[in-house]
Amino acid sequence: MNTLGDVPRYHAEARPDAVAFSFEGRETTFAQLDRHTNQVANALLAAGLSTGDRIAYVGKNSDHYFELLLGAAKAGVVTTPIGWRLAAPEIAYIVGDSEAKLVFVGRELIGHVDAVAAELTHRPVVIAMEAEGAGDYQTFEGWRDAASDVDPHKPIQISDIAIQLYTSGTTGRPKGAMLTHHNLLGMRREAAKNPLEWNQWGPSDVSLVAMPVAHIGGTGWGLVGLINGAKGVVAREFDPTKVLDFIEKDRISKMFMVPAALQIVVRLPRAREVDYSRLTHILYGAAPIPLDLLRECMEVFGCGFVQQYGMTETTGTVVYLPPEDHDPAGNKRMRAAGLPMPGVELKIIDEAGKSLPPNTVGEVAVRSSANMAGYWKLDEATAKTMDADGWLRTGDAGYLDEDGYLFIHDRVKDMIISGGENIYPAEVESAVYGHPHVAEVAVIGVPDDKWGEAVKAVVAPKPGVTPDADDIIAFARTRIAHFKAPKSVDFIPALPRNASGKILRRELRAPYWEGRERQVN
Ligand code: ATP
Ligand code: MG
């Protein structure tokens, strides 16, 4: 398997009748997936698309999204999935930026087509993913099934772009990370040379794809299962009660979820009644997890836990914390993001790019075969992020310990400098989170005449409690150094998050910084 198109080809030979995807009662075998992706490729070629052309997908999760992605890959066409929760101008920005020639639209978004089109300077062809609400638009199945199912066998290079995946837009406008076939498949060979116990897949494995496909945690995770020949149960969207149903009825063995999603699932009363005996591993990551939440999940789900650290630009996971380092008694390793995946190199650098010794905080840099080819049409940002030796700056602050474990503090830009001390919000959030009245917490730096910046906690309280700011501050001071504990607490009903479940600290900061420039390194 060298290119994405080889994935259905390989499994159609090896296990033609095994189920590749299950979606709302529709099952697709690997043999069918191979034929459908041939049809998609032929339909795109017939529409005049050629290598490097882009198509976009705007919709919730669907098995047909994966058919589109793999079929496009067979034609050399690049797929850009776009988050369905974005507003029309945000969707239009990505459709316009990617120059997508065809846009495939899910039923939930079909009503937005005109609003999106009004913002565009080019006129892409619209295809409705589902018959429901399709109106005059051609449907995906009609479009696909009109094409030949014979493999076009178009020559594809492993350095060709397969996916243009936009970053989550947590720190600014999303950037189009160009991921090649080699990015998506190269690390697998390294993994095969150094098998990790939690990363073994067998014929009975069933993976749950419940995170949005517009992000690496959805598309990347869906592809991992597929590449390994597992059955992928695709959830249209993240619905916490349905996650429990899938685990019970579809016998899910592995799933990836962001901490914000795990928190909702684990707090459901029924979560303590479900049979988790088939669930071998929960992989979690994409944002820092509060330790108390991790302990709660380990107790309720009782399976192996694996932390994943990575980003869109590194095609997802580059660092993992294996189950054996999850010791609820609280060993120090449980706070780590973990060890480099096979084939991944890590280093910690200062602002000038010089390597720092162990246990010294700096910016995390990554080198692996999964580092993106670059950002689409953003040469300056690409040059700032990647150097000629293949190192990619993550924008995250952290350190490596003497055993090579990576500890992630936070994004460099979110670091609070108060009275000359560096304070990382995630650590403070983890401390505050354990307070019994706190449902969610974000920590930000606000302007302070004396200290430069002061630590503020923004708390969403649990329902039915009357939270007290002083009590929360006192609680934090029992868990972390006084200078790191919040100086003030604000209460809001819920934290602003993006579709990747990440707290939008820049939105929370904005009202306090109005008219002032926040200094970041
Ligand atoms: P943008 O780059 O547009 O601001 P983003 O960085 O949130 O958005 P992603 O590529 O989806 O977009 O997320 C990658 C980031 O998520 C990492 O740089 C890191 O800050 C955070 N992250 C990922 N995994 C972990 C983890 N295990 N622990 C803490 N943070 C994590
Ligand atoms: Mg980023």
Side-chain angles (χ1 to χ4, degrees):
M1 282 191 267
N2 291 318
T3 69
L4 222 44
D6 294 341
V7 178
R9 287 183 188 117
Y10 174 88
H11 291 298
E13 282 280 317
R15 47 184 66 79
D17 300 323
V19 174
F21 285 116
S22 160
F23 177 71
E24 300 187 342
R26 176 167 66 205
E27 294 201 325
T28 308
T29 64
F30 282 101
Q32 285 169 320
L33 183 68
D34 194 36
R35 283 199 299 278
H36 289 171
T37 52
N38 290 343
Q39 290 175 305
V40 168
N42 288 322
L44 289 170
L45 293 170
L49 276 78
S50 57
T51 306
D53 280 338
R54 274 125 176 100
I55 58 169
Y57 173 88
V58 202
K60 294 188 177 178
N61 291 1
S62 148
D63 52 347
H64 285 169
Y65 160 72
F66 287 98
E67 289 192 3
L68 189 63
L69 170 65
L70 296 160
K74 284 183 172 176
V77 169
V78 180
T79 305
T80 287
I82 303 177
W84 58 271
R85 298 210 309 187
L86 297 179
E90 296 171 310
I91 293 173
Y93 169 73
I94 300 181
V95 174
D97 185 63
S98 67
E99 299 168 14
K101 297 206 161 135
L102 271 69
V103 183
F104 295 81
V105 185
R107 69 173 187 227
E108 296 83 3
L109 272 297
I110 204 89
H112 287 7
V113 166
D114 290 340
V116 171
E119 310 254 343
L120 291 173
T121 52
H122 78 292
R123 285 276 156 272
V125 173
V126 172
I127 293 176
M129 287 307 292
E130 284 142 301
E132 201 181 318
D136 292 338
Y137 297 115
Q138 197 175 9
T139 63
F140 173 76
E141 280 186 3
W143 173 83
R144 178 194 71 192
D145 294 343
S148 152
D149 66 0
V150 178
D151 196 325
H153 284 297
K154 202 171 174 233
I156 309 292
Q157 308 301 318
I158 61 166
S159 57
D160 287 348
I161 311 299
I163 309 184
Q164 183 161 310
L165 200 55
Y166 282 72
T167 60
S168 294
T170 310
T171 54
R173 224 172 205 193
K175 301 182 282 282
M178 297 185 284
L179 305 180
T180 66
H181 293 272
H182 186 58
N183 289 160
L184 291 154
L185 291 160
M187 258 175 46
R188 194 176 167 267
R189 276 185 284 278
E190 298 288 341
K193 278 189 253 160
N194 288 293
L196 300 168
E197 194 273 327
W198 58 269
N199 202 19
Q200 303 299 302
W201 296 72
S204 62
D205 268 309
V206 183
S207 108
L208 178 63
V209 186
M211 297 292 101
V213 294
H215 300 292
I216 192 72
T219 283
W221 174 245
L223 289 177
V224 166
L226 186 78
I227 290 166
N228 285 294
K231 171 174 161 181
V233 174
V234 180
R236 183 180 285 271
E237 64 186 311
F238 170 70
D239 175 334
T241 53
K242 282 199 189 146
V243 168
L244 295 179
D245 294 344
F246 285 129
I247 291 172
E248 280 187 314
K249 298 198 185 104
D250 291 272
R251 306 161 80 83
I252 301 298
S253 63
K254 293 184 199 286
M255 62 184 196
F256 170 80
M257 240 174 255
V258 301
L262 277 178
Q263 173 174 345
I264 299 172
V265 176
V266 78
R267 297 269 160 92
L268 293 174
R270 190 157 74 82
R272 291 184 181 262
E273 289 153 26
V274 168
D275 173 10
Y276 297 108
S277 54
R278 300 280 304 194
L279 189 62
T280 61
H281 294 100
I282 293 180
L283 295 86
Y284 65 92
I289 191 162
L291 261 190
D292 296 291
L293 173 59
L294 181 53
R295 287 203 188 97
E296 189 179 346
C297 291
M298 287 169 62
E299 186 217 316
V300 172
F301 300 118
C303 61
F305 277 75
V306 186
Q307 182 167 170
Q308 311 263 287
Y309 165 79
M311 53 202 308
T312 317
E313 294 89 333
T314 60
T315 322
T317 307
V318 280
V319 171
Y320 70 98
L321 187 71
E324 52 276 22
D325 283 320
H326 284 72
D327 168 12
N331 80 14
K332 156 172 168 286
R333 290 246 167 99
M334 210 159 116
R335 290 177 186 277
L339 296 163
M341 290 286 286
V344 172
E345 296 169 85
L346 298 175
K347 67 178 178 180
I348 305 294
I349 53 174
D350 66 10
E351 270 167 66
K354 199 169 84 41
S355 279
L356 294 169
N359 298 312
T360 311
V361 178
E363 184 172 354
V364 180
V366 180
R367 182 159 70 179
S368 91
S369 59
N371 280 5
M372 65 170 179
Y375 294 119
W376 169 247
K377 295 200 296 198
L378 295 171
D379 293 344
E380 210 180 302
T382 304
K384 266 195 203 159
T385 306
M386 296 164 76
D387 72 15
D389 296 328
W391 287 97
L392 183 143
R393 300 183 92 121
T394 61
D396 292 319
Y399 68 92
L400 287 164
D401 74 5
E402 47 290 326
D403 301 320
Y405 279 77
L406 176 71
F407 289 73
I408 287 291
H409 272 326
D410 236 305
R411 290 171 197 267
V412 175
K413 285 182 185 167
D414 282 338
M415 186 180 81
I416 302 166
I417 305 179
S418 186
E421 298 277 3
N422 294 348
I423 299 164
Y424 293 95
E427 188 189 356
V428 187
E429 285 162 5
S430 199
V432 173
Y433 181 85
H435 188 283
H437 290 170
V438 173
E440 288 185 291
V441 53
V443 164
I444 53 169
V446 295
D448 186 277
D449 290 338
K450 186 164 170 211
W451 304 105
E453 281 192 297
V455 178
K456 179 184 277 295
V458 183
V459 165
K462 284 189 183 153
V465 301
T466 316
D468 178 66
D470 291 337
D471 190 47
I472 289 173
I473 294 170
F475 176 82
R477 286 174 160 223
T478 64
R479 304 184 113 195
I480 46 173
H482 285 201
F483 74 89
K484 295 180 188 170
K487 295 257 182 310
S488 61
V489 182
D490 284 359
F491 295 102
I492 58 171
L495 297 182
R497 290 182 189 268
N498 61 20
S500 302
K502 295 171 208 265
I503 300 169
L504 295 172
R505 293 200 189 108
R506 69 191 152 93
E507 274 188 20
L508 290 171
R509 264 195 306 260
Y512 301 97
W513 289 91
E514 222 170 294
R516 301 204 206 194
E517 190 67 37
R518 183 170 179 261
Q519 295 297 320
V520 286
N521 40 355

